[in-house]
Amino acid sequence: MTEALTIRSLTTIAELEDVRALESRVWGEEEATPVHQTLTAVKNGGLVLGAFLDEKLIGFQYSFPGFDGNCVYLCSHILAVDPAYRSMGIGAKLKHAQRQESKKKGYSYISWTYDPLESANGYLNIGKLGAVCSTYIENCYGDMNDPLNADLPSDRFVVEWASTEDTKRAQPLYTPDQIMDASLIQWTLTDQGFPSVTDIDERWLDHDVVSVAIPSAFQQMKEVSPSLALDWRMRTRRVFQTCFAKGFQVTDFMKYPESIAPVHFYILTKKEVQK
């Protein structure tokens, strides 16, 4: 089906109204970005991309210019896909189209935030796209009441993704067993089948490569055991902040089959040993 997918820039009020309607379906009416804001962004160096199947808008990406004190970059604010079309690789296609447009516009890199405990986003952003992260923001957006974020601090990774495509990172050699053994977070299974943190093993911080376990089904955990989800939020917050302070950077993401473990792993490497 995705062979018929088309992605194009959206610039008209009518197109951006359709974007707002889709955003409302995904995030809720109160969270939808006003059209006057997206319209202003696209007229001033920003970008709204739409993904279409048979001329039906099924996904979009919205970004605007940012400045880090040294250079102008593209700040990627929202990516959403119609729930009926999830798990079809549409998000990745939108990101690659965004990268192409970012390069055309002269941006050196793209930056965005996401919840580090959302494993699907970690796999896409870090594992597939190759973005990197060394910044963690506590409660980045304050209290959020949409279904995905309610009742937890809105902690976020800030990732960076080079606009050029010839930036494949050289990764240290490691096996799945080594990554599991090198996890700073140790865990055990609860009676409900969710992982629960038992210990934080900081001895691995003396190594050049470490891993950090996160739940593979964080949203389901939130629904069944909100207190356990909050514990994961606070424990991983401490671990990532400690790693970043010691010069580590998130450079990869490893998924495990549910039959092996109910966790996936971020892989972090020391910046000075990266090639």
Side-chain angles (χ1 to χ4, degrees), residues 30-273:
E30 294 182 358
E31 302 296 327
T33 308
V35 170
H36 66 76
Q37 182 173 326
T38 51
L39 183 64
T40 301
V42 298
K43 289 182 176 180
N44 292 275
L47 181 67
V48 178
L49 294 172
F52 294 85
L53 275 178
D54 298 324
E55 292 305 308
K56 177 184 178 182
L57 181 70
I58 62 170
F60 75 92
Q61 195 290 314
Y62 164 48
S63 48
F64 49 81
F67 181 62
D68 63 8
N70 294 304
C71 66
V72 178
Y73 62 93
L74 190 63
C75 180
S76 182
H77 187 51
I78 301 173
L79 187 150
V81 176
D82 188 313
Y85 297 90
R86 300 261 173 89
S87 302
M88 296 171 60
I90 295 169
K93 292 180 184 297
L94 278 165
K95 293 302 293 185
H96 284 296
Q98 180 195 38
R99 186 183 226 181
Q100 292 174 0
E101 292 300 316
S102 173
K103 184 177 180 180
K104 289 178 185 177
K105 290 179 177 290
Y107 293 112
S108 58
Y109 70 92
I110 307 169
S111 179
W112 65 93
T113 64
Y114 77 94
D115 185 339
L117 292 181
E118 293 291 349
S119 60
N121 291 341
Y123 178 60
L124 171 62
N125 295 329
I126 307 296
K128 293 183 69 175
L129 298 180
V132 297
C133 173
S134 58
T135 302
Y136 188 103
I137 301 179
E138 294 183 19
N139 205 24
C140 181
Y141 300 111
D143 295 335
M144 303 178 72
N145 296 318
D146 64 273
L148 291 177
N149 295 287
D151 302 322
L152 280 180
S154 57
D155 290 20
R156 293 293 185 268
F157 271 178
V158 181
V159 302
E160 293 185 4
W161 194 37
S163 292
T164 55
E165 298 186 20
D166 56 347
T167 55
K168 181 65 176 177
R169 299 185 309 268
Q171 292 289 356
L173 296 177
Y174 40 68
T175 67
D177 287 342
Q178 288 172 329
I179 292 305
M180 187 173 291
D181 290 342
S183 179
L184 295 171
I185 290 183
Q186 304 297 308
W187 54 274
T188 189
L189 276 179
T190 67
D191 293 339
Q192 297 167 318
F194 293 114
S196 176
V197 178
T198 57
D199 190 27
I200 297 176
D201 186 356
E202 294 190 352
R203 294 175 299 172
W204 285 101
L205 292 172
D206 294 331
H207 293 67
D208 291 332
V209 180
V210 300
S211 64
V212 177
I214 65 165
S216 58
F218 188 59
Q219 286 299 324
Q220 291 90 323
M221 177 185 289
K222 283 179 59 178
E223 294 175 4
V224 175
S225 182
S227 60
L228 183 59
L230 179 60
D231 185 62
W232 272 98
R233 170 69 85 218
M234 304 312 291
R235 298 288 196 107
T236 53
R237 173 191 287 182
R238 172 193 162 189
V239 167
F240 285 124
Q241 288 178 331
T242 298
C243 288
F244 294 159
K246 290 184 175 293
F248 284 93
Q249 185 175 49
V250 175
T251 56
D252 207 351
F253 188 89
M254 182 174 289
K255 294 179 67 175
Y256 270 75
E258 287 291 334
S259 58
I260 296 178
V263 293
H264 299 319
F265 293 90
Y266 284 103
I267 299 166
L268 296 82
T269 54
K270 280 285 184 69
K271 291 182 181 180
E272 59 265 27
V273 299

